[in-house]
Amino acid sequence: MLKLGVIGTGWITKQFIDATQEVGGWKLTSVFSRRLEKANDFAKQFKGEAVGYRDLDTFFQEGDFDVVYIASPNSLHFSQARQAIMADKHVIVEKPACSNPSEMKVLIRLLRRKHHLFYFEAARHFHEENFKTIAQQIKKMKTVQGATLTYMKYSSHYDDFLAGKEPNVFSPVFSGGALQDLGVYLVYDAVAWFGVPIRAVYFPHKLRNGIDGKGIAILQYPGFEVTLNFGKTANSYLASEVYGMGETIWMNNAADLQKVELIDKQGNKNDITKAVTTNPMITEVKNFTAVLQSSNSLANKQLMEDWLAVAVQVNRVMYDLRQSAHINFRSDYEFR
Ligand SMILES: NC(=O)c1ccc[n+]([C@@H]2O[C@H](COP(=O)([O-])OP(=O)(O)OC[C@H]3O[C@@H](n4cnc5c(N)ncnc54)[C@H](OP(=O)(O)O)[C@@H]3O)[C@@H](O)[C@H]2O)c1
């Protein structure tokens, strides 16, 4: 049985715990919240008798768990993951795992000294069957002529922002913004399907505090370009596409992969969609569970390293995009 501790008591943490309970082999034992009452109330929703904590040091020192799931505001991921690794806990951290490559480098160095630990970025769609199907189809294309990928959803937090507040997801203090929140899915697509681009440029629409509300990024590859279109201040219903020599891979959405089609030169459509799960975190949780349950397996260690390599590349591309648009976070200054 894998014992689970969680940081953050938002809906995404609930969805993750629900996924662990559906997959099986997990027991929620510890919940961290800034308020003890909130931690205990949150814990009560789930099977077992998880203990609530309001002090992070105590959570890590006394919490009876092997794996921590971190779903706090982005800027806290790094320090909380670092503390977890030092406390000998496996880490599953929400995307984006780190705010910049300096943070990522510190964690990688730490992990090198803790060979027995596993560290995963919870990039949900990266683990899904439809994501892999698209990767396989791209490999079969003799020529790739690029892609146009979209993920844009109006955030309810934008109403608060417009009313003069600064919610975490629209704050440079918390490493927020459209690129970090939704663009990261598209950067994952591009890096996993096409590799690291030779050039990455971001054209954001900046809000009053300098954070990006929406934007377009262009990733240049040898011989083709990939356009990323993402945002949190508008809704887009555009599909996404990968272009071959006449043939096209079509997907309903580049991050919520519900339907995938292969369209040939003549326009004939072949539905290649794989079944999707009701809880979108099931597949990643299944993968993490399988790896953690056989943590001595070299193959599993290699699998984690492979996923981590993609996470590191995504982190780098995200940073390059941000730099190209002069978007700075408080976390960036902490390493200067
Ligand atoms: N994979 C996905 O599909 C998915 C979906 C949504 C979000 N996410 C990721 O999950 C993470 C959390 O997102 P979210 O929208 O839930 O964020 P959030 O609401 O801003 O914060 C998450 C939790 O962190 C704690 N928190 C809030 N403000 C804080 C502050 N100022 N200082 C310290 N702790 C604070 C709160 O828990 P307490 O009040 O209990 O301390 C809150 O429940 C983000 O990294 C996001 O990218 C992933």
Side-chain angles (χ1 to χ4, degrees):
M1 187 66 75
L2 292 162
K3 290 189 227 163
L4 176 67
V6 297
I7 297 180
T9 52
W11 66 269
I12 194 66
T13 306
K14 181 177 181 323
Q15 193 173 79
F16 180 83
I17 298 167
D18 286 343
T20 61
Q21 296 194 342
E22 192 174 330
V23 168
W26 293 80
K27 184 179 181 210
L28 177 70
T29 65
S30 315
V31 173
F32 170 80
S33 169
R34 291 164 299 167
R35 283 198 303 119
L36 187 58
E37 197 191 354
K38 198 173 176 193
N40 288 330
D41 285 349
F42 184 81
K44 276 186 210 140
Q45 300 177 70
F46 305 98
K47 278 185 259 168
E49 295 196 349
V51 178
Y53 296 86
R54 62 168 290 276
D55 177 72
L56 201 58
D57 292 339
T58 316
F59 171 75
F60 279 121
Q61 281 156 21
E62 295 177 11
D64 177 25
F65 59 94
D66 320 294
V67 188
V68 64
Y69 169 71
I70 301 174
S72 52
N74 299 338
S75 62
L76 303 180
H77 292 177
F78 163 67
S79 61
Q80 291 172 340
R82 182 173 56 179
Q83 195 169 349
I85 296 166
M86 308 237 275
D88 264 334
K89 309 290 185 192
H90 302 298
V91 175
I92 299 172
V93 58
E94 262 309 329
K95 53 78 199 166
C98 289
S99 296
N100 54 52
S102 305
E103 291 183 351
M104 192 56 109
K105 211 183 278 178
V106 171
L107 293 188
I108 301 287
R109 275 205 211 115
L110 205 52
L111 286 165
R112 297 272 171 270
R113 287 195 267 131
K114 300 259 192 180
H115 295 288
H116 55 290
L117 290 183
F118 286 78
Y119 171 91
F120 308 103
E121 181 175 36
R124 132 189 97 59
H125 71 322
F126 173 72
H127 291 273
E128 287 169 6
E129 289 307 314
N130 285 321
F131 189 99
K132 288 180 196 154
T133 300
I134 294 167
Q136 285 157 3
Q137 286 302 329
I138 292 170
K139 265 201 195 119
K140 286 186 198 161
M141 284 179 159
K142 288 202 181 83
T143 306
V144 173
Q145 295 199 70
T148 309
L149 307 173
T150 294
Y151 193 32
M152 194 179 303
K153 282 198 295 194
Y154 187 93
S155 165
S156 56
H157 295 296
Y158 190 47
D159 294 335
D160 295 336
F161 185 89
L162 290 174
K165 296 184 192 149
E166 191 174 275
N168 300 341
V169 78
F170 286 106
S171 162
V173 175
F174 288 100
S175 306
L179 172 62
Q180 299 296 303
D181 196 58
L182 298 189
V184 62
Y185 289 97
L186 308 186
V187 175
Y188 250 97
D189 290 342
V191 168
W193 295 340
F194 310 112
V196 176
I198 48 176
R199 196 161 159 243
V201 184
Y202 184 28
F203 303 93
H205 176 79
K206 290 190 188 177
L207 306 180
R208 62 166 189 266
N209 58 354
I211 209 74
D212 51 325
K214 65 192 276 293
I216 290 167
I218 297 180
L219 307 181
Q220 198 178 14
Y221 289 86
F224 63 92
E225 290 76 35
V226 172
T227 306
L228 313 181
N229 178 29
F230 49 86
K232 291 188 67 66
T233 59
N235 281 316
S236 171
Y237 302 94
L238 279 178
S240 293
E241 294 174 330
V242 178
Y243 310 109
M245 191 55 79
E247 78 275 32
T248 300
I249 301 167
W250 178 97
M251 61 206 93
N252 67 307
N253 182 292
D256 292 327
L257 297 162
Q258 304 279 330
K259 196 165 163 57
V260 185
E261 286 176 350
L262 194 57
I263 307 177
D264 70 16
K265 234 183 204 168
Q266 287 72 36
N268 301 308
K269 294 177 182 173
N270 180 14
D271 189 335
I272 53 169
T273 313
K274 296 271 165 59
V276 288
T277 54
T278 317
N279 180 331
M281 298 178 103
I282 291 288
T283 314
E284 65 174 340
V285 168
K286 270 189 188 158
N287 286 353
F288 301 152
T289 309
V291 168
L292 289 167
Q293 281 177 339
S294 302
S295 57
N296 288 329
S297 144
L298 273 183
N300 281 348
K301 194 77 193 165
Q302 184 59 56
L303 205 49
M304 186 213 80
E305 291 292 344
D306 291 347
W307 294 337
L308 185 54
V310 178
V312 169
Q313 291 171 344
V314 166
N315 172 265
R316 181 77 233 183
V317 174
M318 299 271 293
Y319 184 70
D320 289 351
L321 287 170
R322 254 195 326 114
Q323 292 304 293
S324 77
H326 309 287
I327 298 170
N328 295 308
F329 296 151
R330 182 189 279 177
S331 306
D332 300 331
Y333 299 105
E334 283 163 10
F335 276 95
R336 283 184 187 162

